[in-house]
């Protein structure tokens, strides 16, 4: 008999749930909203919102309409000012945790800290955070230390992208302390607790399972990290973005199947996957 191990921490996190619910309310009111980039990294949700009137653009130059939505990843101060000057009414749906990091960076900047962000250089969240300070360096790989290791600095503050794995963050922090010459170090854990909890639960499920299905968008940073972590403990780990991905997998050979998800994965999709597996 097959067994399904479904994570307790699954589906939308608070920030994503809030963003989607507020977007739907605004679309009911205005019928058309503009945004730059996907408001959450899940194609199922984005297509659903587009059908209701959400217009997704790649840059400020392309923007059309009257109403603009700041997505959950946030935007830099300069970008927001540019959009205001174009005459848009702006609705800010930045994740509350990311918003707190914006305020934190502004505060650190005023106190004269050189700020190091550990994270993906091209991720919209990181790019938005960078826009709230002046002396900022993003470190994604160990070789990025070459830009700063020989500089003598007074005060250095280290923060991380919210979706980082905590051990990965600590590893980089140790390297920074050993390589960067500074009189004062301030390390602030800005990793989302929800992401951390999901990774811990994902490891436990992966250890017990013959196969693990990680549900979520292929562009979702936290889902990709969850997939890589589960893969270390269960070789048969699969990243499932849409229901058709399951048709490529031979479910007959697995007795225990674990199900986990990223923070932007809708519950209706999770239920759809569970029902599909139950047929076997």
């Amino acid at each position: 008999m097959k067994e399904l191990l479904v994570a307790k921490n699954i589906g939308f996190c608070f920030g994503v749930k809030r963003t989607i619910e507020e977007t739907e309310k605004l679309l009911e009111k205005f019928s058309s909203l503009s945004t730059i980039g996907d408001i959450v990294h899940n194609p199922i949700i984005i297509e659903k919102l587009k059908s209701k009137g959400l217009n997704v653009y790649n840059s400020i130059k392309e923007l059309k309409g009257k109403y603009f939505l700041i997505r959950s990843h946030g935007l830099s101060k300069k970008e927001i000012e540019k959009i205001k000057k174009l005459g848009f009414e702006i609705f800010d749906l930045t994740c509350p945790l990311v918003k707190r990091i914006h305020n934190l960076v502004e505060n650190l900047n005023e106190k004269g800290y050189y700020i190091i962000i550990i994270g993906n250089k091209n991720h919209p969240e990181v790019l938005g955070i960078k826009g709230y300070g002046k002396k900022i360096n993003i470190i994604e790989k160990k070789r990025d230390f070459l830009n700063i290791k020989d500089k003598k600095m007074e005060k250095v503050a280290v923060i991380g992208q919210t979706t980082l794995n905590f051990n990965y963050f600590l590893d980089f922090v140790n390297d920074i302390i050993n390589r960067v010459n500074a009189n004062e170090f301030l390390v602030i854990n800005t990793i989302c607790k929800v992401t951390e909890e999901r990774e811990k639960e994902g490891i436990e499920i992966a250890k017990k399972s013959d196969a693990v299905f990680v549900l979520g968008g292929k562009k979702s940073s936290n889902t990709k990290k969850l997939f890589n972590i589960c893969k270390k403990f269960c070789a048969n780990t699969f990243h499932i973005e849409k229901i058709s991905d399951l048709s490529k997998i031979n479910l007959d050979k697995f007795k225990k199947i674990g199900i986990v998800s990223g923070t932007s994965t809708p519950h209706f999709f999770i239920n759809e996957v569970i029902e599909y597996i139950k047929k076997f």
Side-chain angles (χ1 to χ4, degrees):
M1 187 174 176
K2 290 188 183 296
E3 187 180 350
L4 266 180
L5 304 173
V6 182
K8 291 177 183 176
N9 298 296
I10 202 165
F12 293 149
C13 67
F14 164 77
V16 170
K17 186 173 184 287
R18 169 182 167 270
T19 296
I20 293 165
E21 287 178 351
E22 290 301 315
T23 300
E24 287 179 330
K25 285 178 187 176
L26 288 167
L27 286 169
E28 282 179 18
K29 187 176 180 180
F30 300 115
S31 75
S32 180
L33 284 171
S34 297
T35 188
I36 295 172
D38 293 343
I39 63 166
V40 294
H41 284 149
N42 188 286
I44 298 169
I45 293 298
I46 294 303
E47 286 309 310
K48 184 182 174 185
L49 293 173
K50 280 181 177 179
S51 70
K52 293 182 178 183
L54 181 69
N55 300 300
V56 181
Y57 297 97
N58 294 315
S59 67
I60 293 173
K61 291 177 182 178
E62 298 174 8
L63 285 178
K64 294 175 184 176
K66 295 179 180 178
Y67 308 105
F68 182 83
L69 195 70
I70 300 176
R71 58 181 174 168
S72 57
H73 307 99
L75 279 177
S76 71
K77 260 186 168 182
K78 283 184 180 179
E79 287 172 308
I80 294 170
E81 286 305 314
K82 283 180 183 178
I83 294 163
K84 278 182 181 177
K85 285 178 182 177
L86 291 173
F88 282 89
E89 185 175 346
I90 297 175
F91 300 94
D92 190 353
L93 295 184
T94 305
C95 169
L97 174 58
V98 176
K99 199 74 178 172
R100 282 200 292 271
I101 298 172
H102 290 172
N103 295 332
L104 171 67
V105 168
E106 280 189 304
N107 188 257
L108 291 170
N109 183 69
E110 286 172 10
K111 291 178 179 178
Y113 281 91
Y114 182 94
I115 303 163
I116 296 173
I117 306 172
I118 300 170
N120 184 329
K121 288 182 177 182
N122 298 312
H123 195 280
E125 178 199 306
V126 175
L127 292 172
I129 292 169
K130 187 183 178 184
Y132 286 83
K134 291 180 180 178
K135 296 177 182 178
I136 292 186
N137 199 312
I138 302 168
I139 291 180
E140 183 176 352
K141 295 175 182 177
K142 296 291 175 89
R143 67 168 178 261
D144 295 329
F145 285 116
L146 296 173
N147 299 327
I148 56 172
K149 72 172 188 176
D150 295 324
K151 292 181 180 178
K152 172 66 179 175
M153 287 176 277
E154 187 63 31
K155 299 194 290 186
V156 174
V158 184
I159 63 173
Q161 185 177 335
T162 59
T163 53
L164 286 183
N165 172 265
F166 184 65
N167 290 328
Y168 177 89
F169 176 71
L170 281 183
D171 179 47
F172 267 76
V173 166
N174 286 330
D175 262 359
I176 291 166
I177 291 170
N178 291 328
R179 297 189 193 197
V180 177
N181 188 8
N183 292 329
E184 181 187 331
F185 270 102
L186 181 61
V187 178
I188 305 161
N189 180 9
T190 52
I191 296 169
C192 175
K193 293 292 181 187
V194 174
T195 303
E196 205 174 329
E197 286 168 5
R198 290 191 189 215
E199 288 175 357
K200 286 177 183 176
E201 191 178 13
I203 291 168
E204 292 307 309
I205 287 175
K207 286 176 178 178
K208 300 172 186 175
S209 305
D210 301 319
V212 177
F213 295 154
V214 183
L215 314 184
K218 294 287 173 75
K219 290 181 181 178
S220 166
S221 178
N222 73 86
T223 307
K224 284 190 280 187
K225 288 183 175 74
L226 187 58
F227 169 80
N228 290 329
I229 286 166
C230 289
K231 187 85 173 171
K232 291 177 182 177
F233 298 92
C234 180
N236 297 308
T237 296
F238 305 92
H239 190 156
I240 308 296
E241 182 177 65
K242 48 190 183 294
I243 203 72
S244 58
D245 293 338
L246 291 167
S247 63
K248 303 165 190 175
I249 303 165
N250 181 8
L251 296 176
D252 291 330
K253 62 181 181 179
F254 305 125
K255 287 187 177 180
K256 280 190 178 183
I257 296 173
I259 295 179
V260 298
S261 89
T263 57
S264 54
T265 308
H267 274 284
F268 69 79
F269 178 68
I270 295 164
N271 292 332
E272 193 178 353
V273 170
I274 289 170
E275 289 306 312
Y276 181 95
I277 295 168
K278 279 182 179 179
K279 291 176 184 177
F280 290 81

